[in-house]
Amino acid sequence: MTIVDTGWFRIGARVLVVAALLAGWQYLSAAEILDTTSFPSMTATMAEAGRQLQSADLWLAVWETVRGWGLGLLIGCSLAIVVGTLLGLNRFAYLSVIPVIEFLKTVPVIAILPLAIVVWGATLDMKVFLVAFGVFWPLTIQTIYGVRAVDPVVRDTAAVLRLRGLRKFLNVTLPSAAPFIATGLRVAAAVGLILTIIAELIGGAPGLGLSILTSVNAGPSRLPATYAFILFTGVAGVLVTSAFAYLEQRLLHWHESQRNAAAKAA
Amino acid sequence: MSHPAVTPTSHSGTGTEPVLSVRALQKAYNVGKPNERLAIADVTFDVAKGEFVCVVGPSGAGKTTLLRCLSGLLAPTSGEVRFEGAPLQEVPARLSVVFQDYSRSLMPWLTVNRNVALPLKVAGVAKRQREDRIAEVLHAVGLGDVGRNYPWQLSGGMQQRVAIARALAHQPDMLLMDEPFASVDAQTRFDLEDLILKVRSDLDITVVLVTHDIDEAVYLADRVVVLSGAPSRVEEIVPVPLGRPRNQLVTRSEETFAQLRRHLMELVTAH
């Protein structure tokens, strides 16, 4: 094992890259290579970010975003897993419905945003609908494929063991579909966050997206705040993705992909 | 539900009634389509209670198709398979199957204990007895304290032992095995062959084992059913008059073993 493989070295390298990027940003704005009317300096942005972290307004915005995202994800994903499972278990239903689902999956969610605003206005409901709608179709398809992807040997084994009904579903069908559903959920969580921010930014519902918009409208003096909010949405995205990746790793520890990951880490 | 005319029990009758009875079995794939293919032409044989029967044949002889028909996983095109007197509709409760590919047949998301528990849960065995039975059956296949491990954490030979333990857990009357030792190394293969012979004599269970390995068939079987190339027919049913218990070194160096081996080899390679 060389020094490059050690955990400390890897973490150190990553911290160094981030520090170099921040220093580069500071240098470019201090030397006025970056236009100061569009780009605040790194230190000004960080100072603003620090101030924002102590303000109740920021945490209220974060809460609004998390609430819209979480509810939309919960509703959209629950429906998708139920509908996807039912369609996956019934060949006739699957063949009948799949063209409609494939079509609706390709409709960009942004295209229905104006419709949602007309129906619900700049509200939480509008956000929740948009997120639920956006994550429902891809996760439904993912679930259908997962439920249908039971290994033939596993299917024979289930028949030989005379597993039926709920016991078969819990012991065979669901675990076989789990890797597909987990990937679908991880993607849905990230897509859901993007849709939440869009619903706030364009639809005007309260949350981090709206905070970005209002700080931009407040003029150049509020520029560091805009950048701080953008940074916060980035951090939220990273947190969401790593949380779901961690859950996937825990729940699917038996799966080949995770076994290899564990062996590599060891 | 209609009861079969013949109801075999271990207490009544002469005890010579076959556990498994195969009559004029025929299996064709894609019936009525241009790519219709006959896999099994005509197979007839009986397996008596407590007997060890091996089925051999040249590669592509439809051995796996035959096993799937015998287990009730696949419906024959014509002919009949009877298990303990009743025609097969599905996989019977008193019959267990061990597949070649243990790494896929053992559920990777369940621990060894939970894998072995599956047939016991289906049979409605209470939790306490289930735990006792799991420990007992794992011990019977020569496995120690591996219950909390996942199958993929074990070696190939150990995984196939777990699969055998799972197949034996609910005390079936017959074990159907599809090339069960084809995916392990030679030494492990000998160990597992001896294990299955021991299990069979300890539990007095009927075994039908499909293999492409003629030496293995002679070593294990009371009778060997030799299939022709596809579409399969029964070429010959060869009795194996070797004594028991058998021993890898002694049995395999007997004169009779060599003669049987030669005879079977001629039958299988004649095409």
Side-chain angles (χ1 to χ4, degrees), chain A residues 91-156:
Chain A
R91 207 176 113 80
F92 177 74
Y94 162 75
L95 290 174
S96 316
V97 175
I98 199 71
V100 177
I101 294 184
E102 289 283 4
F103 170 74
L104 283 170
K105 188 187 91 171
T106 56
V107 172
V109 187
I110 309 303
I112 62 153
L113 178 61
L115 191 70
I117 295 172
V118 169
V119 176
W120 284 287
T123 60
L124 178 69
D125 293 359
M126 180 271 287
K127 260 200 285 191
V128 170
F129 169 78
L130 206 67
V131 173
F133 184 89
V135 300
F136 177 79
W137 306 108
L139 186 61
T140 300
I141 290 177
Q142 195 75 3
T143 307
I144 291 174
Y145 288 153
V147 168
R148 291 172 64 82
V150 178
D151 184 302
V153 177
V154 173
R155 194 177 298 137
D156 279 355

Side-chain angles (χ1 to χ4, degrees), chain A residues 13-33:
Chain A
R14 285 175 191 180
V15 169
L16 262 176
V17 169
V18 173
L21 277 174
L22 291 176
W25 177 8
Q26 182 62 18
Y27 167 76
L28 289 174
S29 54
E32 298 199 358
I33 298 170

Side-chain angles (χ1 to χ4, degrees), chain B residues 47-48 50-54 173-177 196 199-200 205-209:
Chain B
V47 180
E51 203 181 11
F52 200 131
V53 170
C54 283
D173 297 336
M174 194 174 105
L175 207 54
L176 209 50
M177 308 181 92
I196 204 68
V199 161
R200 182 256 188 154
I205 196 171
T206 310
V207 184
V208 174
L209 187 144

Side-chain angles (χ1 to χ4, degrees), chain B residues 22-27 40-45 76-80:
Chain B
V22 188
R23 290 280 166 275
L25 179 78
Q26 190 189 72
K27 179 66 195 177
I40 300 173
D42 179 11
V43 169
T44 297
F45 67 94
T77 310
S78 69
E80 192 182 48

